[in-house]
Amino acid sequence: MKHSIRNQHITLSVNTRGAELQSLVRNCDGKELLWQGDPTYWEGQSPVLFPTIGNLNDATLRHQGRRYPMPKHGLARGMDFVLTQQDESSLTLSVSSNEDTLQHFPFPFRLNVKYELADRNLNVTFETENPSERELPFQLGAHPAFNLPDWDETNDIHGYLGFDLRHQLVSNGLKPGGLLWPEGSFPVPLDEHDTLALTNHTFDCDTLLDSSSHTHACILYNRYRERLLTLRFNSPVLALWAPHGGRAPFVCIEPWWGCCDRFDYEGEFSQRPWTNIVPAHETRTIGYSIEIEKMRKVNS
């Protein structure tokens, strides 16, 4: 089931399945900014990644000597959330652990996802509640995909990404299967404008994973270098991805509070790098925002 809210600048729709953002429309011209999920490229749009991100070694979560099967990107994206709050400017969807989730993730939890409109901003807040007497470890990520306007596969440049840093990103290397190499980091140089061109080969390495914690904003430009939107976040990892090496009409800009496993990791889930811990009967709140750029007036 879909639920929608709007203000003067933005209309958004969210599906209770996975609490996934389904539509993000700029009202001034009716432009859809969010990828609409064509399975020719990728059927997703903006899944919530919880309680794990990416792949685990052997697709297995390890806890106190037991092994639990865990699908890629966790459980939340396949769960049915419940609308627990809605008003003119916001809505909140919630889901809780159950007998099935405990077969994969042996920790009780409640996850609340709030979407709130404020002027030209969409603020997304994730609240992870721990209802139990023991610590709750988790990882959580956002995975929004944004359309590249006027995309044409024959063009050399589809758009650009800008950052609140200069010169280069540093990406962790991935081995086939989406697991981290232990010593596989490499620089991702930016151009003279401190931007990263989105081409048919930008993602030949699959995913760019910057875990330096040095960037907290990512700007999407079209191929004419006109600003479309800005993501702001305070996550330790930023993932950038598009399928087919980049030969696709969208790009994913993904703040991650967590990451996939090293290829050889066999330790406790709670000891994985970038794992968040919620003490008993407490709540951890994290989030990010999307600012929609104003349309420029063209003089006639």
Side-chain angles (χ1 to χ4, degrees):
M1 180 180 295
K2 293 183 180 181
H3 299 277
S4 300
I5 53 175
R6 65 173 290 148
N7 66 7
Q8 178 184 355
H9 304 287
I10 304 168
T11 298
L12 68 85
S13 295
V14 179
N15 199 332
T16 52
R17 184 70 168 179
E20 185 171 11
L21 186 63
Q22 300 272 281
S23 177
L24 187 63
V25 173
R26 187 172 59 197
N27 291 340
C28 63
D29 60 357
K31 195 75 171 180
E32 176 64 71
L33 302 176
L34 194 74
W35 169 244
Q36 291 300 288
D38 181 351
T40 302
Y41 299 95
W42 181 55
E43 62 185 6
Q45 294 178 264
S46 183
V48 175
L49 317 181
F50 175 91
T52 60
I53 297 175
N55 287 314
L56 276 65
N57 187 21
D58 293 330
T60 299
L61 183 149
R62 297 164 177 84
H63 176 62
Q64 294 184 346
R66 292 190 59 184
R67 297 163 62 92
Y68 298 85
M70 180 63 70
K72 183 179 181 180
H73 288 323
L75 305 174
R77 63 178 180 165
M79 298 182 71
D80 291 318
F81 284 63
V82 175
L83 181 69
T84 52
Q85 174 275 330
Q86 182 172 359
D87 56 33
E88 291 184 354
S89 62
S90 69
L91 54 83
T92 302
L93 299 103
S94 304
V95 74
S96 296
S97 54
N98 54 46
E99 291 184 3
D100 182 63
T101 66
L102 292 171
Q103 300 302 310
H104 301 272
F105 184 64
F107 303 94
F109 67 85
R110 179 178 174 87
L111 177 63
N112 307 305
V113 183
K114 182 177 182 179
Y115 296 93
E116 183 174 18
L117 297 179
D119 195 40
R120 291 183 293 106
N121 291 277
L122 167 59
N123 300 318
V124 184
T125 303
F126 305 103
E127 288 185 347
T128 304
E129 300 179 16
N130 181 2
S132 75
E133 298 292 339
R134 56 196 176 111
E135 291 183 336
L136 166 62
F138 75 94
Q139 299 195 332
L140 194 152
H143 198 318
F146 300 103
N147 289 322
L148 297 174
D150 305 315
W151 181 81
D152 183 342
E153 185 176 353
T154 64
N155 287 332
D156 292 333
I157 303 292
H158 308 313
Y160 299 87
L161 294 177
F163 307 91
D164 57 340
L165 50 70
R166 298 176 62 85
H167 307 311
Q168 69 180 31
L169 302 170
V170 178
S171 180
N172 294 94
L174 292 175
K175 71 186 296 290
L179 298 173
L180 293 173
W181 285 111
E183 298 178 354
S185 63
F186 58 92
V188 182
L190 306 180
D191 62 21
E192 67 273 17
H193 302 284
D194 290 317
T195 58
L196 174 68
L198 298 172
T199 74
N200 288 335
H201 299 285
T202 299
F203 300 104
D204 282 347
C205 62
D206 187 87
T207 304
L208 296 177
L209 281 174
D210 187 304
S211 60
S212 67
S213 299
H214 290 158
T215 181
H216 300 294
C218 183
I219 306 161
L220 176 61
Y221 300 90
N222 66 15
R223 60 192 178 95
Y224 305 106
R225 295 191 181 275
E226 297 169 334
R227 186 182 297 215
L228 301 174
L229 53 86
T230 302
L231 265 73
R232 294 185 174 86
F233 44 86
N234 193 27
S235 61
V237 180
L238 174 64
L240 305 171
W241 174 78
H244 310 305
R247 197 180 297 268
F250 68 91
V251 64
C252 293
I253 305 172
E254 309 173 40
W256 285 1
W257 290 263
C259 199
C260 48
D261 267 348
R262 273 177 44 132
F263 78 99
D264 57 353
Y265 187 75
E266 296 186 354
E268 279 279 314
F269 173 73
S270 61
Q271 300 301 312
R272 298 172 76 226
W274 306 293
T275 295
N276 312 279
I277 302 294
V278 186
H281 300 292
E282 294 190 15
T283 299
R284 172 75 187 273
T285 301
I286 53 182
Y288 71 101
S289 68
I290 304 171
E291 180 184 3
I292 308 304
E293 196 66 25
K294 290 181 179 179
M295 286 289 293
R296 289 185 172 86
K297 293 184 179 180
V298 178
N299 295 324
S300 57

